[in-house]
Structures are given as C-alpha cells and as structure tokens.
Amino acid sequence: MSKALTILIWLLAAAATLVLLTIPVSLQVHLVMAVVLILLMAVIKLLGFEGNWRLLLLALGTIIVLRYAYWRTTSTIPSVDNLADFIPGLLLYLAEMYCILMLFLSLFVVIKPIPSRPSVRLAEGEAAPLVDVFIPTYNEDYELLAGTLAAAKAMDYPTDRFTVWLLDDGGTDAKRNHPDPEVAGAAQDRYELLRQLCDELDCRYLTREANEHAKAGNLNNGLANSAGEYVAVFDADHAPARDFLQETVPYFARDERLFLVQTPHFFLNPDPVERNLRTFEVMPSENEMFYGIIQRGLDRWNAAFFCGSAALLRREALQATNGFAGRSITEDCETAIELHSRGWNSIYVDKPLVAGLQPATFASFIGQRTRWAQGMMQIMLFSFPLFKRGLKLVQRLSYLSSTMFWLFPLPRMIFLFAPFCYLFFDLQIFTASGGDFAAYTLTYVLVNLVMQNSLFGRWRWPWISELYEYVQSVHLLGALFSVIRNPRRPTFNVTAKDESVDKARLSELARPFYIIFLLLLVAVSMTIFKIGAEPYRAEVTMVVGGWNIFNLILAGCALGVVSERREIRASRRVAIERRCEVQAADGSWVKGAIINVSSGGLAVRLPGGAAGLARGAPTVVKFTPLSDAGVTELSVFIRSVLAQGKGAVLGCRYMPERGLDYRLIADLLFANSATWQARQRSRQINIGIIRGTIRFLGIALYQTGRGLTYFLRFGSGKAAND
C-alpha cells in the first residue's frame, strides 16, 4: 500500500509540475513567479541549508529551466518558411537544448554524491594479495621515470607482495632495429639506461616487439608477463604516495565483483590556464570538480570509471575482456564501460594518493584534450552508452553524461558566433522582445548560476567553466568532426610532460583567438551603429550587443591564456617540515629543516646561518626517510642563499648520482599524501556568485591587456627566441 501511495504522490507531483510549466501566463506573471523562486533559492543557499533543502533548491531551479525550455520550443524558433532565419535559429535552439540536457544529466549524477569513504584495512591475519604495479612509458625522460619508480617502490606494502614494472614502449625491438641509425641508437641508449635504473631500484623492466595499440597494448603486454591478483596503473608522471596500496587493496576483499578502485589525480604544477592567469595557488584546479564531486556522484550509481592512472584493478576482471580495451584512444573509460556492462563493480576513493604533472604549455594542453575528446566521441560511436547492453539505466545515464560532455565545442562555438547573425546579416534567429529576454532568458541564466554554484561552488568558480570550454573549443571543434568523418582515424598521442617555458612568448596556437577577438570588437562597433541607425530596434540590438560583449570578455581573458608566461620550474614547491643535517663548508654537520620541495630541488632553513656555504657550492643534505630507502644522504647544489634573521635559507638543486638517490627525492616529495590533501582543501572555497563574477571580470580585464601586449611584443614570433 505504501508503495502505491508513493507512486500516486509522484504522479500527482509530475502532473502538477506539467501544469505549472505549460500554463499560459502573462509576461509579468512569469517574471514575478521567477523572481519569487529565485529569492527562495537564494535564501536556501545563503542560509546554508543541506539535505532536503538542497533538493528543494534544485527543484525550484528546475521549474524555471523547464519553463524556459518550453518557451524556447513553442515561442521563439523562426518560421521554417524563411530558411535563412530558421537554420541558424534551429542550431542555436539545439545548442541550448544540449546545455539543458547536460544540466539535468549532471543533476542526476551529483544529486547525492557518495561521501568520502573512510579508510579500510586488511583484516588481521589476512595475507596481503600480490600486486603488479605498471608504469607505462613512451618518451618520458630518465629523471621523471626515476622519481615515479622510486615512489612506487617505496609504497608501504610487504616488499615480497608487489612488483614494480616499467613498461617501456620507447625501447621496443622495432625501434632498436630501426633503419635510421639515429633512431635505433637513441632507442638502444634508452633501453640500456632504463634497464640499469630498474636494476638499481629493484624494479622490473619490460618492453615488446613493437608499439601496437599504444598504451592499451603496452598494459596488456604487462598483463601477459605478470601474475599478480591486482594491477596498479600509474602514468609515468604520476608518483604514488606511500599509502596508495594500503588505501586501495582492502576494498577488494569486501566485493568479489569489484574490478576497480579509482583515486583522484592531484597535480604539482598548474595547467597553462592556471599558470598564465596566476590562479593556481588560490583557485580550485579544473580537474578538482570532476574528482571532487562528479566521480563521487558517479560512484553513487556504480559508474565511477577508470581514468588511466592512480587506480587498482582486478586481473580476473581484465581477463574477462581480454585485457585493457584498445578500440578507442581513451582505453581507460572504454575498459570501464565494458566491465560495468558485464556486471562488475567499481568504487571511487576521494583521497589524492598520487601526485602528477599537467601539460605546461597551451599546445600540450590542447593535444591532451584533443585525445580525450576524440576518444569519448569514439566511445559514443562504438558503444553508445544509452543502448549499451548490460548496463543498468542509471549507469547508462551516467556514461551518457560523461561522454556527451565532450560535445561542448559545438554549442560553445554556436553561442560565440550567433550574435553575428543579427549584427552583421540582420537575421532574426531568436524571435523575442527585450521584455521576453529579461523575463525568460535572464532568469534562466541566473537560476543556472545559482544551481551550478550550489552543486559545484567549492570546486569551480563562476564563469571558469565557460573560459575552459572556450579556449578548448576553438581547436577541438575540428577534431570532433574528424572523428565523425572517420571514427578509426584518431591515434594515441602521448602528452608532453615535465615541460618548462623558459621564455615569455605567444602560444603557437594563439592566432585564432586574436582573430575571434577582433571580430567581436567589430561586432561591438556594429552594435553601436545599429542602435543609432535603427532606434526602433534598439531594444533587441542592445540585448544581442550585450551577449556579444559577454563573448568579448571571455575572448579577452583567453588572450591571456595563450600568452605564455615565463616559468622554468616544471612543478611548484610543496611546503613540508622535515628535520635534516647539512654538510658545512668545513665538513661538519649542521642541523636544519627542509621547508619545501619540488621535483627539481629543495629549500633548507639553517637557524645558525649559512655555515660557510655560498651560492654555487656543492653540499650534502642528510635526513631520515619515511621508508627504507637504503640511503640517507642526498647531494645538492646551492643555487641561492637568503638571510633570514640570524639564520639562512639555502635554495638547493638536486644532484642525483645514481638511481638510489631518487628514493630520497621521492620520499621528500611524494611519500606523504596528507600534504596534497591539505593543499587541495586550502583552495576549495566557495566564493559565491557575486564575488566570483567580480573576480572573473577583474581577471578578464587584466588578461585582455596582457594578451594584447604580448601580441605587440611577440606577434612576429621572433621574440620567442630572444
């Protein structure tokens, strides 16, 4: 009886909502209703109500969004009799409906995300299962691989129960026997150098005949040559913390059908947007929204998926699908969807247990995102989630959200150029008055902001998503169309890692952004002209002109993104506090503290002064590592000496002489995952819609000026080498 009553209540609620959405009312009544609902949402948000109140806020917002969708569908699409208006008008309408669909899919995904899971441990007396740790590599350099291998080998797990494998696709038989002597020689040198490194760090080196099926083929070669019950996968630039296996292995004992434990990707360096806008230290990183709440939402529906690294997988499950999937160039998500469709389960542990490197240059960033977008498009074409046999409905919707997101370049470019249809060609692609726009469109945009901020405010500031989408869309749009034309054409391209920008310059991909900015400026002039020449249409012209100005603000901020700032360090320094001793100029040992570290060096505070050490001098830093590294002394080179009261701070660069030295570097930088958690929490603050908008406008104004200055300085390209 109670179930029938529940169904009846839902049906009545649905019917009441349908009436509320479709009932014809005057413009004034709709505006009053929208304002009242927005005020109620604002009260709930400002008072910080959670639980059912949060659901009420989203329900109120949904009413406004659906009324807008109904109005757009029934009242604003141009007549089909005039194709010049109808076709671009229909494209704009479809772009808006895509955004509304994605809004509701994201609401479904994150409506009730799983809270951060408590740590679990193996039962007392339970034997630690065998684990193979795979680190696939293609062209990464020695230092980067040495750090990751050393960190993996230092994980807190019985040493006889896990094996670290370096899966090298840069030293394959085909490359070492290449017809070009230079290519063959470089591959042979790499092969010998990395084999020696693995011997020094007690790791296993494995290569294969040829680089077939890219990363998926490399991982499958690792599976064929190992036998552990579980497989941990780390990208070459993703170094694990000591507690990675302790935090992930025990979950498998609780569920025999569990195939995946995925953890977040934490990064030590900013992406090019953060670096060039200088927001890395204060603003949540772009990926934190995905790993902070979206993966937890997917976890609620058993749809958290493999992200290519920082994960532990069950070998038995992988064998059920003949290893890692390789049909698309995003082997991670494709593997997960195949295993979910076969009844396997996954979980997400919201705790950063690896530290990696993001692409440093805008070109590398776009290269990475191109691979992601094309791979997700391939999955949509090969295994459309909504019709994927074996998936539950909630999993189908979850994967639909994850894959369809990457269609964003299409609507983003439509929104960018739509105002031109009216301003330059006098096309009527949106049949509405200024009053209609204020009552429906502005309230819809405001409600969208409130809902997005309520859901993602801790992890994403206002308007930052729009900026990221715009800077990617300019180059991703063509990449998406290339997949549609030939789904099997995209190839796996390795993302450049451990880069540095040693000179300020314009990105090699900057030109389209300046052209678009110029067109938007011309459109502003056209707006002013049309207001004067056609005062009887000034209301509509100002609405379209305002839309164009928003696009101009976004495009101006993007000029700063493609204006590459000089930054030599591949990663930022991480604050720590570790006691140490430093060898003074006279050979004695002086007590001090290591106060920050990076992938390239460290800083030591000596309370008694510089101990006779000066810039340019070599010395040794001695400390006790958290794990048994086999060594305690690390050679460094002093790059700076800074007086600090009666003491001094030495800025040092690592001078590793052997593979074992990287164990100490890894111990300083990667061992303690609590450092990364604290760093994340310090940035995850909801600054609100008003403050966030003001902050974004300030950033955009400054970056527009900086981008134009860079164009004047480096527009010819020659200054990049000065």
Side-chain angles (χ1 to χ4, degrees):
M1 187 67 180
S2 60
K3 185 176 180 180
L5 181 61
T6 301
I7 294 174
L8 179 62
I9 291 173
W10 274 108
L11 289 174
L12 290 174
T17 302
L18 182 63
V19 171
L20 188 62
L21 295 178
T22 59
I23 187 171
V25 296
S26 68
L27 194 64
Q28 292 78 9
V29 171
H30 171 81
L31 184 59
V32 170
M33 181 184 72
V35 170
V36 170
L37 293 180
I38 290 171
L39 288 176
L40 288 174
M41 294 173 67
V43 169
I44 294 172
K45 185 177 183 304
L46 291 173
L47 294 179
F49 292 152
E50 294 293 336
N52 291 333
W53 287 101
R54 176 173 172 270
L55 297 180
L56 177 61
L57 181 150
L58 298 176
L60 296 175
T62 297
I63 293 172
I64 299 295
V65 172
L66 289 177
R67 275 198 66 84
Y68 175 77
Y70 179 75
W71 172 73
R72 276 291 277 128
T73 304
T74 60
S75 306
T76 65
I77 300 175
S79 171
V80 71
D81 295 333
N82 188 341
L83 291 180
D85 291 341
F86 177 75
I87 292 175
L90 181 63
L91 290 175
L92 177 60
Y93 168 77
L94 292 175
E96 291 190 64
M97 292 306 105
Y98 163 84
C99 292
I100 291 174
L101 173 63
M102 292 308 300
L103 171 64
F104 287 131
L105 284 175
S106 66
L107 285 177
F108 167 76
V109 168
V110 303
I111 192 69
K112 196 174 181 182
I114 290 216
S116 297
R117 296 177 182 272
S119 296
V120 297
R121 292 291 182 264
L122 291 171
E124 187 175 348
E126 183 180 356
L130 289 172
V131 178
D132 288 306
V133 179
F134 290 169
I135 301 172
T137 175
Y138 180 71
N139 58 2
E140 292 81 8
D141 63 31
Y142 177 93
E143 290 77 13
L144 181 66
L145 293 172
T148 304
L149 288 169
K153 191 63 184 176
M155 286 190 290
D156 185 14
Y157 200 74
T159 56
D160 61 337
R161 306 300 292 173
F162 78 106
T163 304
V164 178
W165 297 79
L166 182 65
L167 309 179
D168 182 25
D169 258 3
T172 60
D173 296 348
K175 288 187 176 181
R176 286 184 284 120
N177 293 288
H178 196 277
D180 186 334
E182 289 190 13
V183 174
Q188 184 65 35
D189 291 343
R190 174 185 175 87
Y191 173 80
E192 294 174 359
L193 192 64
L194 293 183
R195 284 195 64 175
Q196 180 182 349
L197 173 65
C198 288
D199 287 342
E200 292 180 9
L201 293 176
D202 194 24
C203 301
R204 299 283 297 276
Y205 176 88
L206 182 66
T207 188
R208 52 184 176 147
E209 291 185 6
N211 177 19
E212 295 179 355
H213 302 295
K215 182 179 177 181
N218 197 6
L219 291 171
N220 287 333
N221 186 54
L223 285 175
N225 287 274
S226 59
E229 187 177 351
Y230 303 110
V231 174
V233 179
F234 302 116
D235 280 346
D237 63 321
H238 282 189
R242 292 190 71 242
D243 54 348
F244 180 87
L245 292 179
Q246 294 284 357
E247 293 284 353
T248 55
V249 169
Y251 288 103
F252 286 91
R254 297 185 168 194
D255 182 0
E256 293 182 352
R257 297 294 295 173
L258 182 65
F259 83 90
L260 169 71
V261 176
Q262 179 66 56
T263 69
H265 294 183
F266 172 80
F267 297 105
L268 295 171
N269 68 318
D271 68 29
V273 179
E274 296 169 316
R275 180 174 59 79
N276 291 323
L277 302 188
R278 289 185 172 171
T279 60
F280 181 62
E281 305 296 340
V282 294
M283 185 180 76
S285 289
E286 185 224 11
N287 71 313
E288 288 182 29
M289 187 171 90
F290 175 74
Y291 288 110
I293 185 169
I294 293 176
Q295 273 282 52
R296 290 197 290 118
L298 293 171
D299 197 16
R300 167 71 62 185
W301 309 116
N302 190 25
F305 61 85
F306 178 37
C307 297
S309 180
L312 188 67
L313 301 100
R314 189 189 296 268
R315 180 183 294 270
E316 178 188 352
L318 292 171
Q319 289 173 338
T321 55
N322 296 317
F324 294 89
R327 191 162 53 159
S328 76
I329 57 174
T330 46
E331 81 296 327
D332 40 17
C333 185
E334 185 184 358
T335 298
I337 197 171
E338 287 298 327
L339 287 169
H340 274 133
S341 70
R342 295 175 184 234
W344 291 90
N345 305 321
S346 65
I347 65 169
Y348 174 67
V349 176
D350 185 21
K351 183 177 182 180
L353 298 171
V354 303
L357 297 176
Q358 301 189 87
T361 67
F362 184 71
S364 296
F365 173 78
I366 292 299
Q368 179 193 64
R369 299 312 168 93
T370 297
R371 176 166 60 84
W372 293 356
Q374 290 185 323
M376 286 302 198
M377 180 64 71
Q378 286 179 309
I379 290 175
M380 286 188 66
L381 295 173
F382 295 151
S383 305
F384 188 58
L386 202 56
F387 305 132
K388 179 68 176 176
R389 184 177 299 176
L391 292 179
K392 298 177 181 176
L393 177 60
V394 292
Q395 292 176 315
R396 296 181 187 205
L397 294 174
S398 297
Y399 274 110
L400 188 66
S401 175
S402 299
T403 53
M404 281 192 65
F405 165 79
W406 287 98
L407 294 174
F408 70 79
L410 296 168
R412 183 56 57 194
M413 289 294 99
I414 291 173
F415 295 150
L416 180 69
F417 294 115
F420 293 1
C421 293
Y422 173 78
L423 294 174
F424 292 125
F425 307 107
D426 209 29
L427 299 178
Q428 311 297 315
I429 67 172
F430 191 128
T431 57
S433 66
D436 293 333
F437 183 85
Y440 284 94
T441 306
L442 288 184
T443 54
Y444 160 69
V445 171
L446 183 56
V447 162
N448 229 319
L449 276 173
V450 175
M451 293 173 74
Q452 295 283 357
N453 190 256
S454 298
L455 290 170
F456 307 117
R458 271 186 57 200
W459 300 275
R460 183 64 52 83
W461 288 4
W463 310 112
I464 297 300
S465 288
E466 286 75 10
L467 176 64
Y468 268 95
E469 288 185 6
Y470 169 64
V471 299
Q472 294 176 77
S473 296
V474 172
H475 291 285
L476 293 192
L477 186 62
L480 290 181
F481 281 125
S482 72
V483 179
I484 295 172
R485 288 195 303 268
N486 187 350
R488 300 187 184 279
R489 181 179 179 182
T491 57
F492 190 101
N493 294 314
V494 178
T495 304
K497 304 175 179 74
D498 205 18
E499 298 174 296
S500 62
V501 182
D502 56 358
K503 292 180 176 65
R505 60 180 177 85
L506 279 180
S507 169
E508 53 268 46
L509 302 181
R511 179 176 296 178
F513 294 93
Y514 285 93
I515 294 173
I516 291 171
F517 184 78
L518 178 61
L519 290 174
L520 293 169
L521 275 179
V522 174
V524 172
S525 302
M526 196 65 184
T527 302
I528 298 171
F529 170 77
K530 287 179 76 72
I531 291 173
E534 302 173 345
Y536 56 91
R537 296 166 63 180
E539 186 180 75
V540 173
T541 303
M542 285 191 290
V543 168
V544 178
W547 180 358
N548 182 73
I549 287 175
F550 170 75
N551 288 337
L552 182 68
I553 292 170
L554 208 60
C557 194
L559 298 185
V561 173
V562 297
S563 300
E564 303 276 24
R565 293 182 185 272
R566 178 178 182 268
E567 181 161 352
I568 298 176
R569 281 199 193 102
S571 70
R572 300 294 177 93
R573 293 194 178 274
V574 178
I576 65 170
E577 190 72 26
R578 296 276 290 272
R579 287 183 293 180
C580 70
E581 294 182 75
V582 176
Q583 192 171 44
D586 61 3
S588 61
W589 292 93
V590 180
K591 291 185 177 181
I594 301 171
I595 57 174
N596 64 58
V597 296
S598 74
S599 60
L602 53 80
V604 179
R605 182 177 58 235
L606 298 178
L613 297 170
R615 181 180 178 182
T619 188
V620 177
V621 177
K622 181 167 63 174
F623 62 93
T624 302
L626 298 178
S627 60
D628 183 13
V631 287
T632 58
E633 298 180 2
L634 180 62
S635 298
V636 297
F637 176 83
I638 299 176
R639 301 192 64 180
S640 65
V641 179
L642 178 65
Q644 192 178 75
K646 295 182 179 180
V649 174
L650 307 181
C652 306
R653 182 175 183 81
Y654 305 131
M655 298 293 290
E657 299 172 351
R658 50 185 176 163
L660 287 176
D661 291 337
Y662 287 95
R663 289 193 174 184
L664 291 177
I665 298 172
D667 188 86
L668 289 173
L669 188 57
F670 305 122
N672 188 4
S673 63
T675 303
W676 312 335
Q677 296 170 47
R679 185 166 173 175
Q680 272 193 340
R681 285 194 296 266
S682 69
R683 298 182 302 199
Q684 292 177 350
I685 300 173
N686 187 345
I687 64 173
I689 297 171
I690 296 175
R691 185 180 165 197
T693 300
I694 294 172
R695 188 78 175 261
F696 179 77
L697 288 174
I699 292 173
L701 181 63
Y702 175 77
Q703 295 302 329
T704 301
R706 191 175 72 86
L708 294 174
T709 301
Y710 267 55
F711 179 76
L712 294 175
R713 291 175 60 194
F714 307 133
S716 64
K718 64 178 183 179
N721 297 317
D722 289 351

